[in-house]
Amino acid sequence: MPHLTVEYSANLEGHADMGALCGTLLETVLETGLFEVGAVRVRALKADHYAIADRLAENSFIDLSFRIGKGRSANEKKHTGEALFAAASAALAPLFETPHFALSLEIREIDAELSWKKNAIHPRLRGK
């Protein structure tokens, strides 16, 4: 159940390739070896309305929210976070050349008792 949401300020349109970023982040998640292919979701959501810091029109952000099921060690979660943050930082390097961009990442564990899922992708990828 690894779901990675990329929330970004609308003023990044034309300045960052969100499709490419989603692809890079998906590959990074899979490269950790901790998550099953059929479970991974990466999506980008544009924030049309926002207020950032001193409200300069050039200010922009990307917030990565990675929700995962329980069962990974603290070291595995830390390694995953470091890998995701490094991949995002590299992909977004040109944005850091300005004094107007902020990137954040948070990993959250989901309580299995309060999470419902139905997935037709798993059986196909598992060959069943």
Side-chain angles (χ1 to χ4, degrees):
M1 149 94 218
H3 286 228
L4 179 56
T5 302
V6 179
E7 181 184 2
Y8 66 97
S9 55
N11 62 348
L12 286 176
E13 291 285 321
H15 298 285
D17 184 338
M18 292 303 158
L21 179 61
C22 287
T24 295
L25 295 173
L26 175 71
E27 289 304 317
T28 303
V29 169
L30 294 176
E31 286 169 2
T32 67
L34 297 172
F35 306 97
E36 192 172 354
V37 174
V40 181
R41 313 280 185 278
V42 179
R43 55 187 155 295
L45 306 174
K46 179 174 64 171
D48 287 319
H49 306 283
Y50 52 88
I52 304 168
D54 58 356
R55 296 183 178 225
L56 286 177
E58 299 87 0
N59 291 346
S60 60
F61 74 88
I62 291 180
D63 176 58
L64 305 173
S65 176
F66 192 42
R67 297 179 303 128
I68 63 173
K70 292 185 181 197
R72 282 135 196 115
S73 71
N75 282 339
E76 289 172 328
K77 289 181 281 191
K78 183 175 181 182
H79 171 74
T80 299
E82 289 171 348
L84 284 169
F85 202 77
S89 293
L92 301 166
L95 296 175
F96 287 106
E97 294 174 9
T98 75
H100 303 287
F101 178 66
L103 174 66
S104 59
L105 164 67
E106 181 180 13
I107 296 177
R108 296 182 203 136
E109 284 187 332
I110 297 167
D111 183 340
E113 292 183 25
L114 300 174
S115 178
W116 296 263
K117 298 171 216 52
K118 189 171 185 177
N119 184 338
I121 298 171
H122 275 309
R124 176 179 53 84
L125 292 177
R126 291 174 181 161
K128 297 178 183 179

